[in-house]
Amino acid sequence: MVFKDYTFFSYVFLATTVILLTFHAHGAGLCDKSPNKQVCHSIVYTRTEARDAVVAACHKLVAQTKVANVLAKQQPNSAEISKCITNFDGAIGYAKGALTALNANQPLSSNFYLTAAQNNYMSCDDGFKNSGKTNPIAKSTKLLQDMASVGAYLSTLVK
């Protein structure tokens, strides 16, 4: 009977040790202070270097913006949708500019580009708000805003 109690205790001790060591090995995560942790984790995934995470964020932002652009083009033609398409094209340019700045070892410029992309997505939403119409692609612009915000945040971690 005594042996069973020690076996149970050793399993609990082992499990606790493994959990503590796992958290210690990862250290402070890149997403700990992110404005949107869920989006951040989906971008960062297993990356541990901030630079790699920003590169991934930019690539994912370009890809997702292209998807949103296709979705916008499927909507009935309106001034608001046309503005969104123009803003999406500009945001793709900003995301690519962020990559260029990052490659030139200018993370602060990368941050500005990603913030500009975020502003483009907000501008799409604002066009619908100002006209009093419902944005049919609001979920896409919200995701894009969150992704750009996370990318901008991650760029502040690049050393």
Side-chain angles (χ1 to χ4, degrees):
M1 185 68 171
V2 172
F3 185 69
K4 282 185 176 181
D5 290 337
Y6 284 119
T7 304
F8 176 75
F9 175 74
S10 65
Y11 285 134
V12 170
F13 179 76
L14 180 63
T16 305
T17 304
V18 168
I19 290 170
L20 290 175
L21 288 176
T22 302
F23 284 121
H24 181 70
H26 286 4
L30 293 175
C31 296
D32 286 350
K33 296 182 181 177
S34 172
N36 188 320
K37 289 184 183 190
Q38 184 177 4
V39 172
C40 186
H41 286 294
S42 72
I43 292 170
V44 171
Y45 192 52
T46 59
R47 293 170 184 86
T48 56
E49 295 294 322
R51 180 177 298 279
D52 296 340
V54 175
V55 169
C58 291
H59 286 295
K60 288 183 180 191
L61 191 59
V62 168
Q64 195 62 42
T65 302
K66 288 179 180 179
V67 170
N69 221 343
V70 169
L71 181 63
K73 290 176 181 176
Q74 293 172 347
Q75 302 304 312
N77 197 15
S78 69
E80 294 82 14
I81 283 293
S82 294
K83 182 178 180 182
C84 287
I85 292 169
T86 301
N87 284 328
F88 291 166
D89 290 338
I92 289 171
Y94 287 137
K96 290 179 178 179
L99 281 172
T100 302
L102 198 61
N103 289 334
N105 204 25
Q106 298 173 340
L108 184 59
S109 294
S110 183
N111 180 282
F112 289 136
Y113 279 114
L114 290 166
T115 301
Q118 183 181 10
N119 288 333
N120 273 29
Y121 304 128
M122 284 190 229
S123 181
C124 174
D125 281 338
D126 290 344
F128 281 97
K129 285 180 189 171
N130 294 339
S131 70
K133 297 179 183 176
T134 301
N135 184 352
I137 56 172
K139 288 182 182 179
S140 294
T141 55
K142 172 67 173 126
L143 174 62
L144 292 168
Q145 287 174 38
D146 290 343
M147 290 174 69
S149 173
V150 166
Y153 160 74
L154 290 169
S155 72
T156 63
L157 303 178
V158 176
K159 294 185 174 33

